[in-house]
Amino acid sequence: MRSSIKVVIKNKKAVFIYAMFIMVMMITIINKKNLHVDEVSSYILSNNVGGISMDFKEGYTYMPTEQVYLDCVAANESERFNFRNVWKNQTDDVHPPFYYLLLHMICSLNAGKFSVWYAAAINIFFAVMTLYILRKLLYLFVKDIAFIDFCSIVFSLSAGILQNVSFFRMYVMAMFWVTLMAYLLIQAFGEGFSWKRWTQIGFTAIAGALTHYYCIIYLSASCLILGICLIIGKRWKDIAALMAYMLCAAAVSIAIFPAMLNHMFFGYRGTQSIDNLTQTTSMEQWERIKNFYGFLNTQMLGKIGGGGYIICNIYYNNACSKEKTGWRAFCI
């Protein structure tokens, strides 16, 4: 596996792709106009002391006019690195705190100032790391650097990815954790689990849970599929280890941020998600799946999702037919 990683890292074209990706992301952010209320909320939740929303005094004239805004979205000099306040804000809100802790840390280094680049820096970093892990993930299946480079360029220029990067919320971080989890699980399934690998999986699960609760849904589905594969292979020790580590990761996540239980089961977002799963018919679920695919196909794949899948599937089958060992078991 080390040799395969070196092949990916040493690929000179990869350096160009990473540089191009960073440049395109920066251009996208530079050309961004206005902020969504949720993006402003990211800064408020990270830095505001005394509440999770802006509070204005009726009839009061604020001078200078921008000061009331800065007091909410920028880290105050006296409240720099006040992580306890971030914790409290997220307890009162509906999301876990990891992203907001990072944003508050960056804002604290620039107290009294506001810039979209504070949040953008987080998104750019995790987007680049996602591309790095994605390349390693692809290499597990297809030992063709040219094909991996092509997929990397498609990823880097995807409208959906660039929109995600220029939307200053925790979703790029969440994208990184689920991509990393997919890589770790697939690599471990093919090469065998080890204590080091289980520890990496456990820490990734905790980081994802503390970034966005959607990561927990993804992790649950991934572990279910992995568990079925392990049962088919009669790998009972790995099944026991999987259950033990995931339960441990869940316990650690709850111990770190106990409010997540209230968020998931009693908060308005959690109850809304449960209702969507339990109070809809199969036809409604199918319509949502089709709409979701349509969104991805339009926003991220430029309406070539179906054709792209067929081309990649044909290419992948041809590549796998040449392989006599290794990842051929994953071929479609």
Side-chain angles (χ1 to χ4, degrees), residues 78-92:
S78 60
E79 300 293 341
R80 295 168 67 242
F81 303 105
N82 186 355
F83 299 119
R84 180 176 296 180
N85 180 68
V86 181
W87 218 264
K88 181 182 182 303
N89 284 348
Q90 290 316 116
T91 299
D92 296 337

Side-chain angles (χ1 to χ4, degrees), residues 2-47:
R2 291 181 180 178
S3 61
S4 66
I5 296 175
K6 290 180 180 179
V7 170
V8 175
I9 295 176
K10 291 182 179 180
N11 178 22
K12 294 181 180 179
K13 292 181 181 179
V15 176
F16 169 78
I17 293 173
Y18 287 125
M20 178 198 70
F21 188 31
I22 293 173
M23 181 183 68
V24 172
M25 286 190 290
M26 293 182 68
I27 292 174
T28 302
I29 294 170
I30 289 172
N31 286 278
K32 178 183 177 68
K33 296 181 179 179
N34 303 320
L35 293 177
H36 189 275
V37 63
D38 286 350
E39 297 174 288
V40 177
S41 181
S42 292
Y43 284 88
I44 294 175
L45 291 168
S46 300
N47 300 313

